[in-house]
Amino acid sequence: MLLGVNIDHVATLRNARGGIEPSVMEAARIAEENGATSITTHLREDRRHIKDEDVYTLIKTLKTQLNLEMAMTDDIQKIALEIRPHSICLVPEKRQEITTEGGLDVAGQLDRVTEFIKPLLDAGIIVSLFIDPDENQVKASAKTGAQFIEMHTGTYSEAFGTANEEQEFLNLKNAAKLAQSLGLKVNAGHGLNYENVKRMHEIPGLVELNIGHSIISRAVFTGLGEAVKKMHDLIK
Ligand code: PXP
């Protein structure tokens, strides 16, 4: 199973001061050096974390592959067609949400999704649809021409360790099986952490997990001791 690392939170931290630190390019480099097989960034409509210049630089500097998460808007589609990432993941986007809250409603807008992804597919970009593990959404996704779905693991992640865990996990397992039987490849992501990720191995054929928040959160504490020590040594 492959690991795509989402580095949006590094950009959030950088933007808090408006400068260039911490660098998303450096974050991508470290992720790549430690096993990431792709770097994921979400170029949101409000550009709250990743900026246009980040994706234009990443596409030139990455040693692995750029997976661009994007909503169905014309201006982001234009950027995707210009930079041609290895893959895009189509996500729903609401302005007020803190993070991507639910899966894309492919079944409710099948023609629109099919039309929107066509130029991207024609340009040779791999297209993935971020959907809830729901039978109707999987079946609709298989009709669009997209090669991948990414199953939203948020509900499973929240249910982990509770009475609902088994049902939520089963939903993921069944959705993956159905998708694969319809010729789709399956990724998964959202809310995965160092505990709940372990069950992903029980889903046969998962290609890649996209993980951001738990990795960046952990990095703060695995790196904080060294960072304090270095400053302390300097001012001693
Ligand atoms: N996959 C998709 C489509 C997402 O929108 C996100 C969040 O940006 C992730 C994966 C990563 O989620 P998390 O940050 O909770 O690991």
Side-chain angles (χ1 to χ4, degrees), residues 6 8-9 40 42 69 89 91 99-100 130 150 188-192 210-214:
N6 182 314
D8 292 346
H9 290 307
T40 296
H42 185 174
E69 287 178 9
C89 182
V91 299
T99 182
T100 316
F130 187 54
E150 179 171 326
H190 210 286
L192 293 175
N210 280 307
I211 307 180
H213 190 261
S214 62

Side-chain angles (χ1 to χ4, degrees), residues 24-34 39 58 62-63:
V24 295
M25 298 351 130
E26 182 73 357
R29 187 186 62 74
I30 293 169
E32 287 179 325
E33 281 177 9
N34 287 281
I39 300 298
L58 283 168
L62 286 186
K63 299 229 166 12

Side-chain angles (χ1 to χ4, degrees), residues 14-129:
R14 174 197 63 189
N15 298 352
R17 278 290 171 98
I20 55 165
E21 240 187 11
S23 154
V24 295
M25 298 351 130
E26 182 73 357
R29 187 186 62 74
I30 293 169
E32 287 179 325
E33 281 177 9
N34 287 281
T37 40
S38 67
I39 300 298
T40 296
T41 55
H42 185 174
L43 189 60
R44 291 187 76 99
E45 206 189 336
D46 61 10
R47 308 296 200 271
R48 70 172 71 150
H49 37 57
I50 292 293
K51 311 272 186 205
D52 293 24
E53 54 268 34
D54 294 325
V55 292
Y56 283 98
T57 306
L58 283 168
I59 198 73
K60 283 188 243 151
T61 54
L62 286 186
K63 299 229 166 12
T64 59
Q65 299 159 345
L66 180 65
N67 173 40
L68 184 70
E69 287 178 9
M70 54 181 275
M72 276 199 290
T73 66
D74 291 343
D75 73 314
I76 307 278
Q77 187 196 52
K78 202 165 152 240
I79 292 172
L81 287 169
E82 199 183 324
I83 64 166
R84 293 182 185 228
H86 175 259
S87 58
I88 69 100
C89 182
L90 211 57
V91 299
E93 197 173 299
K94 296 185 209 123
R95 250 176 204 254
Q96 301 310 324
E97 69 189 359
I98 293 171
T99 182
T100 316
E101 279 167 4
L104 186 70
D105 180 15
V106 181
Q109 46 182 347
L110 184 56
D111 290 345
R112 189 170 166 232
V113 172
T114 307
E115 231 170 80
F116 185 85
I117 65 173
K118 183 150 190 324
L120 299 162
L121 290 166
D122 288 347
I125 300 166
I126 291 171
V127 172
S128 178
L129 305 175

Side-chain angles (χ1 to χ4, degrees), residues 180-192:
Q180 287 156 351
S181 75
L182 296 171
L184 289 161
K185 295 190 185 112
V186 183
N187 294 334
H190 210 286
L192 293 175

